[in-house]
Amino acid sequence: MRTPLIAGNWKMNGLRRDAEALARDVAAAVTASEGVEVLVCPPFVHLDAVGVVLADSGISLGAQNCADAGQGARTGEVAADMLVDMGATHVILGHSERREFYGEDDGLVAGRYRQALEAGLTPVLCVGETLSERDAGQTEAVVAGQIRGITDRLGADSLGPGVIAYEPVWAIGTGRTASAEQAQAMHAFIRAQLAGIEGESAASARRLLYGGSMKPGNAAELLAMDDVDGGLIGGASLDAGDFAAICAAATRD
Ligand code: PEP
């Protein structure tokens, strides 16, 4: 049985006081339950402050990236063990905004993934196709390639506790959501790919999140799909009420 995970990606939003207020509101609005795991991922510079607010809330803390090397000469990067030191347990990797705006490719994401695992973080690996790739019929090849981008480099058993977030790029921040059927089809495809890489048992235990304009109005339908084990939420995670409603929709008794 896979416990659903709802992860909020706060992206590059808010000053410290905003992050603290949002964390307080989320902690108050989200009903702690064993039926769902809840994670928030603020910007690096707010991890410490948000961690203080969330202490004892049952809500986990994650970062939005980590370096592909250990501490040392990597100006502007943040090492995975520094994130653990801030109280983070998870890290988002390979987000499409990183791939698009900062040129991150599968090799770099694999290096980050390895560092995250070595530090004891759970990676949330983002995969997904652009609209032109979908229109060209390349969706499955792109997504399979992004997963193999990790396992070909790090090994078939290398995903560890990692979570995979299927995020069609055309649905991120656009208000355009994949239909529940489209999401399920891709999640089933990803699980089948994983079964071929790491074996049936590891693949059936691995959590697969959907991300892309998930909000209270569409969450229940998406989360009801067999292979959708939670969500990675951008815009709606900045509103505590909306985020809590998505968490409630994911809760399994
Ligand atoms: C995201 O950035 O991971 C995301 C899913 O954003 P949004 O929910 O705003 O589409």
Side-chain angles (χ1 to χ4, degrees):
M1 186 65 185
R2 301 180 294 263
T3 303
L5 170 65
I6 299 295
N9 174 12
W10 291 4
K11 308 196 187 194
M12 192 176 69
N13 287 295
L15 302 180
R16 181 167 59 184
R17 61 175 173 273
D18 306 313
E20 286 170 336
L22 180 56
R24 266 194 300 275
D25 291 347
V26 168
V30 170
T31 312
S33 151
E34 286 181 4
V36 63
E37 201 180 315
V38 180
L39 167 70
V40 297
C41 303
F44 287 133
V45 291
H46 301 326
L47 280 170
D48 201 13
V50 169
V52 169
V53 174
L54 294 183
D56 306 322
S57 68
I59 297 172
S60 302
L61 187 67
Q64 299 173 18
N65 211 351
C66 73
D68 61 328
Q71 291 185 36
R74 290 288 191 283
T75 303
E77 290 284 311
V78 178
D81 64 347
M82 297 174 179
L83 301 175
V84 173
D85 193 41
M86 291 286 104
T89 52
H90 294 68
V91 61
I92 297 170
L93 294 176
H95 193 280
S96 61
E97 289 154 13
R98 301 294 318 171
R99 295 180 193 263
E100 180 182 352
F101 301 131
Y102 300 96
E104 292 198 11
D105 60 14
D106 291 338
L108 179 53
V109 175
R112 297 187 189 283
Y113 199 103
R114 188 202 319 260
Q115 289 296 321
L117 287 184
E118 282 179 7
L121 291 167
T122 296
V124 178
L125 173 70
C126 300
V127 298
E129 80 287 2
T130 63
L131 190 55
S132 59
E133 289 165 341
R134 175 163 280 260
D135 288 345
Q138 296 168 343
T139 299
E140 293 188 348
V142 167
V143 169
Q146 289 168 333
I147 294 169
R148 288 207 172 269
I150 304 296
T151 56
D152 284 355
R153 289 176 173 85
L154 306 186
D157 293 327
S158 62
L159 293 176
V163 174
I164 295 182
Y166 170 60
E167 300 208 302
V169 179
W170 46 270
I172 295 180
T174 59
R176 199 177 148 189
T177 317
S179 68
E181 292 70 27
Q182 282 173 322
Q184 169 57 26
M186 278 310 294
H187 282 226
F189 170 78
I190 291 169
R191 205 175 297 288
Q193 289 295 303
L194 291 172
I197 296 169
E198 59 181 354
E200 290 282 346
S201 150
S204 69
R206 191 162 303 287
R207 284 186 292 187
L208 307 182
L209 313 186
Y210 169 78
S213 298
M214 193 187 274
K215 32 189 183 289
N218 59 27
E221 197 187 355
L222 287 159
L223 293 165
M225 294 290 120
D226 281 352
D227 288 292
V228 178
D229 308 314
L232 180 54
I233 323 296
S237 73
L238 299 174
D239 180 305
D242 283 357
F243 188 62
I246 296 170
C247 294
T251 304
R252 292 193 185 138
D253 306 319

